[in-house]
Each structure stands twice: as structure tokens, then as C-alpha cells.
Amino acid sequence: MRHLWAAACGALLLTACGQDGARAPERASDTLRVAAWNIEHLTAETGAGCAPRDEAALDLVADYIAAVDADVWLLQEIDGEAALERVFGEGWSFHVEEREAVGEYPLCRGRDNGSRLRAQNTAVAVRDGVAHSRIPDLDALDVAGAGRMRHGVAVTVFDNEPIDLMSLHLASGCHEGEESNVCPTLFSQIEVLEGWIDTRSAMGRAVIVGGDFNRRLELDADLVWSELNDGDPYPLHVAGPGIRPQCDPRYGEFIDFLILNNHAQGRKIQGSFHETTYGRGDRPSDHCPILIDLRR
């Protein structure tokens, strides 16, 4: 019954179930919807981790998943498959990063009850009926080689023409400029990512990489975007260029993105980029879902 309610509430979520949120747009039947969302320390175990949730809070995550109505989700900060099963329910295939834990997870910041961080994996969820296959994770994003940096999880969706999609969550702490001591790590990750995109693009594939870049790529002359989108040999595109986030008034620039190569950009429905913000009193994550629709 819980998942029936989630589907029903999802259709009405941002009008009846919540207030003042940016409702996910209606979609045509002949489209493929791709969404990205950092769900903030998602675990199926109630009260666990650094963003502990009770059953009602997990239900709220499920409601927003239903409301966005995507076919493919590029997800970050996922404890494991059980967490996805809890909020997505039946009718999905899940692909979770296969990186093993290294040592004990650190204590949660700002909490004095001894709780510890849980796994923060990247993942992809694909709706049943969308033909796809998993392709190798981009483990080279762990540029330090110590097993503590998140891999990219990728699938190929066979939808008219193949589309390669990757969920990623890059190093945090170098949101702009190059002065932070994290910046060399992020720049190294960008070099790896660019190589992966170029390889898949050379195969004639549509390519979409999405998730938490931990970087304000749309700042003027941003060094990371200039490197990733150097046009050699293929140009890239930000979905929804120039649109500013509405998720949190403290932040005027996106760090979550859907990045497309030319083939994918040609299939994107113009104006379909959308950020689903939260209703008054709702806060299922510290990030909001973003989405685009593609022609099938």
C-alpha cells in the first residue's frame, strides 16, 4: 500500500501533498526522462547515518521520486541497493557502485551520539521496460588510488539509438578557482572524465554524465568547465544553460549538472531542463532533483 500511495501522492505532490514547490513538468509519452539527484546520505535503516531519517522522511523521498517521474535516475550518496528498494519500490533495476569500504567510516560532523557516516555510493536506477545494460564503472575517478573516492556508475540505454549515461560525484572542496588543496584532485578527475566522454563519443554514442560535480561550472571562465569542454575533439553542453538554482536561497549557482555531448544534445527536448524544488516544510535532501527529456 505504501508504494501505491507514493505513486498517487507523487502525481499531486507539489500541489496537494506539499506547498510552494516547483512542480515537475508534464511529459509526453514518446520521451525518455533522465534525472539526477544527490539524496543526501540515503540509507534504508531508520535513524542511521549522518542524515538520519524516520519512516515518514523515507516516504517523502519516495514521493518526490514518483513526482519527478523519470525513467533513468543518476544518483549520489546511496548506502546500497536496499536503500534504493525502500524509496523506489518495485519496477526498477538498480546499479550501485562496487567500491568496497576502506577502514572505518568517520564520525558524523555536528553530532555527539557516536553515529558514523555510511557508504556514499553513486548509483543508477532504470525503470523496468527501458532496455539497458551496465557497462564498467569508471573506477579511475579514484585518482588517489586509495579506495576512498567515488567511482562513476554507467549504463547503456538502448532507446532507438544507444545512450551512455553515467552517475558521478566528484571531489568536494574546490567549488571555484584553483586555490583549494582539493583542486588538483578535482582537476585530475576531470581529465579522467573527459577521456571517458571522448572515447564513448568517438563510438558515435549519445553521452550524458550527471550528478554532483561539486563545482560551479557556469561561473565565467571556470577552469574546470574550460578543461572539460575544450572542444578537442568534441564539444559538450550544460543542460539548461544560464538557469539559476532555486533549491536553496543560500546558493546562486548549480553544482549538480547534466552534461551532454552533441549526439545527446540533439535529442534533448528544448526547454525541458527542470529543477524540482520542495514544498513548504519538505526537505528530503540538501540537493534538489534536476531532469531533462529526450526524444525517443
Side-chain angles (χ1 to χ4, degrees):
M1 290 299 294
R2 163 63 213 148
H3 299 302
L4 292 176
W5 160 245
C9 186
L12 301 172
L13 176 63
L14 300 181
T15 54
C17 304
Q19 299 292 325
D20 299 335
R23 184 186 181 94
E26 298 294 328
R27 52 176 296 187
S29 59
D30 59 346
T31 59
L32 182 79
R33 178 164 289 180
V34 177
W37 193 15
N38 181 330
I39 312 185
E40 190 185 10
H41 302 288
L42 182 69
T43 177
E45 184 180 346
T46 58
C50 294
R53 293 176 171 91
D54 59 16
E55 288 295 323
L58 288 167
D59 288 348
L60 184 61
V61 172
D63 289 339
Y64 275 93
I65 289 168
V68 172
D69 191 28
D71 299 299
V72 181
W73 283 89
L74 310 179
L75 302 162
Q76 298 82 51
E77 296 194 16
I78 307 302
D79 185 348
E81 188 167 326
L84 295 178
E85 290 173 346
R86 170 60 181 83
V87 295
F88 276 85
E90 298 178 352
W92 295 85
S93 296
F94 304 121
H95 306 281
V96 181
E97 180 183 357
E98 296 176 343
R99 178 173 49 99
E100 295 184 1
V102 178
E104 189 174 37
Y105 287 110
L107 292 168
C108 297
R109 288 177 297 195
R111 302 183 68 199
D112 57 3
N113 62 355
S115 58
R116 291 186 178 273
L117 184 72
R118 303 288 288 258
Q120 288 189 300
N121 295 313
T122 53
V124 178
V126 183
R127 190 189 300 276
D128 285 358
V130 176
H132 73 285
S133 64
R134 184 167 181 168
I135 55 180
D137 291 0
L138 186 58
D139 56 7
L141 287 174
D142 180 13
V143 293
R148 294 187 178 274
M149 303 186 70
R150 295 164 289 250
H151 302 170
V153 175
V155 301
T156 298
V157 169
F158 301 99
D159 183 78
N160 193 1
E161 295 181 354
I163 308 172
D164 294 332
L165 302 106
M166 178 186 290
S167 170
L168 50 78
H169 189 178
L170 300 183
S172 179
C174 180
H175 293 106
E176 59 183 86
E178 55 183 326
E179 301 305 318
S180 167
N181 60 7
V182 178
C183 288
T185 297
L186 180 65
F187 295 162
S188 294
Q189 287 185 308
I190 290 298
E191 183 178 354
V192 170
L193 179 61
E194 183 184 13
W196 186 89
I197 294 171
D198 287 346
T199 297
R200 309 305 291 191
S201 297
M203 297 167 61
R205 299 293 185 89
V207 176
I208 300 174
V209 295
D212 187 350
F213 282 72
N214 271 312
R215 182 75 181 189
R216 301 181 181 106
L217 297 178
E218 292 190 275
L219 291 178
D220 289 343
D222 178 65
L223 294 172
V224 168
W225 180 239
S226 297
E227 172 61 27
L228 184 61
N229 186 34
D230 59 9
D232 182 18
Y234 306 105
L236 298 175
H237 308 270
V238 170
I243 296 174
R244 292 293 173 257
Q246 303 299 315
C247 189
D248 188 320
R250 294 175 297 173
Y251 305 116
E253 297 284 341
F254 278 109
I255 62 170
D256 300 291
F257 293 94
L258 291 161
I259 304 296
L260 296 78
N261 72 351
N262 272 348
H263 284 81
Q265 180 73 3
R267 292 183 60 176
K268 182 174 75 72
I269 294 175
Q270 186 175 2
S272 65
F273 175 83
H274 180 82
E275 178 191 38
T276 298
T277 57
Y278 304 134
R280 188 166 58 242
D282 293 349
R283 201 71 192 167
S285 171
D286 57 350
H287 296 244
C288 288
I290 57 174
L291 68 85
I292 56 171
D293 291 332
L294 305 175
R295 294 181 182 87
R296 303 194 82 156

